[in-house]
CSV table of all heavy atoms in Angstrom, one decimal:
chain,number,residue,atom,x,y,z
A,3,ASN,N,-11.6,-6.9,8.5
A,3,ASN,CA,-11.4,-5.7,7.6
A,3,ASN,C,-10.3,-6.1,6.5
A,3,ASN,O,-9.1,-5.9,6.7
A,3,ASN,CB,-10.9,-4.5,8.4
A,3,ASN,CG,-10.7,-3.3,7.5
A,3,ASN,OD1,-10.9,-3.3,6.3
A,3,ASN,ND2,-10.3,-2.2,8.2
A,4,LEU,N,-10.8,-6.7,5.5
A,4,LEU,CA,-9.9,-7.3,4.5
A,4,LEU,C,-9.1,-6.2,3.7
A,4,LEU,O,-8.0,-6.3,3.4
A,4,LEU,CB,-10.6,-8.2,3.5
A,4,LEU,CG,-11.2,-9.5,4.1
A,4,LEU,CD1,-11.9,-10.3,3.1
A,4,LEU,CD2,-10.1,-10.3,4.8
A,5,THR,N,-9.8,-5.1,3.4
A,5,THR,CA,-9.2,-4.0,2.6
A,5,THR,C,-8.2,-3.3,3.5
A,5,THR,O,-7.1,-2.9,3.0
A,5,THR,CB,-10.2,-3.0,2.1
A,5,THR,OG1,-11.0,-2.5,3.2
A,5,THR,CG2,-11.1,-3.6,1.1
A,6,GLY,N,-8.4,-3.2,4.8
A,6,GLY,CA,-7.4,-2.6,5.6
A,6,GLY,C,-6.2,-3.4,5.8
A,6,GLY,O,-5.1,-2.9,5.8
A,7,LEU,N,-6.4,-4.8,5.9
A,7,LEU,CA,-5.3,-5.7,6.0
A,7,LEU,C,-4.5,-5.7,4.7
A,7,LEU,O,-3.2,-5.7,4.7
A,7,LEU,CB,-5.8,-7.1,6.3
A,7,LEU,CG,-4.8,-8.2,6.4
A,7,LEU,CD1,-3.8,-7.9,7.5
A,7,LEU,CD2,-5.5,-9.6,6.6
A,8,LEU,N,-5.2,-5.7,3.6
A,8,LEU,CA,-4.5,-5.6,2.3
A,8,LEU,C,-3.6,-4.3,2.2
A,8,LEU,O,-2.5,-4.4,1.7
A,8,LEU,CB,-5.5,-5.7,1.1
A,8,LEU,CG,-4.9,-5.5,-0.3
A,8,LEU,CD1,-3.9,-6.5,-0.6
A,8,LEU,CD2,-6.1,-5.5,-1.3
A,9,GLY,N,-4.2,-3.2,2.5
A,9,GLY,CA,-3.5,-1.9,2.5
A,9,GLY,C,-2.2,-2.0,3.3
A,9,GLY,O,-1.2,-1.5,2.9
A,10,THR,N,-2.3,-2.6,4.5
A,10,THR,CA,-1.1,-2.7,5.4
A,10,THR,C,-0.1,-3.6,4.7
A,10,THR,O,1.1,-3.3,4.7
A,10,THR,CB,-1.5,-3.3,6.7
A,10,THR,OG1,-2.4,-2.4,7.4
A,10,THR,CG2,-0.3,-3.5,7.6
A,11,MET,N,-0.5,-4.7,4.1
A,11,MET,CA,0.5,-5.6,3.5
A,11,MET,C,1.1,-4.9,2.3
A,11,MET,O,2.3,-5.1,2.1
A,11,MET,CB,-0.2,-6.9,3.1
A,11,MET,CG,-0.7,-7.7,4.3
A,11,MET,SD,-1.8,-9.1,3.9
A,11,MET,CE,-0.6,-10.2,2.9
A,12,LEU,N,0.4,-4.2,1.5
A,12,LEU,CA,1.0,-3.4,0.4
A,12,LEU,C,2.0,-2.4,0.9
A,12,LEU,O,3.1,-2.2,0.4
A,12,LEU,CB,-0.1,-2.8,-0.4
A,12,LEU,CG,-1.1,-3.7,-1.2
A,12,LEU,CD1,-2.3,-2.9,-1.7
A,12,LEU,CD2,-0.4,-4.3,-2.4
A,13,ALA,N,1.5,-1.6,1.9
A,13,ALA,CA,2.3,-0.5,2.4
A,13,ALA,C,3.6,-0.9,3.1
A,13,ALA,O,4.6,-0.2,3.1
A,13,ALA,CB,1.5,0.4,3.4
A,14,THR,N,3.6,-2.1,3.7
A,14,THR,CA,4.8,-2.6,4.4
A,14,THR,C,5.7,-3.5,3.5
A,14,THR,O,6.8,-3.9,3.9
A,14,THR,CB,4.4,-3.4,5.6
A,14,THR,OG1,3.7,-4.6,5.3
A,14,THR,CG2,3.7,-2.6,6.6
A,15,GLY,N,5.2,-3.8,2.3
A,15,GLY,CA,6.0,-4.7,1.5
A,15,GLY,C,6.1,-6.1,2.1
A,15,GLY,O,7.2,-6.6,2.2
Side-chain angles (χ1 to χ4, degrees):
N3 180 0
L4 296 180
T5 55
L7 180 58
L8 173 61
T10 297
M11 292 170 66
L12 292 167
T14 62

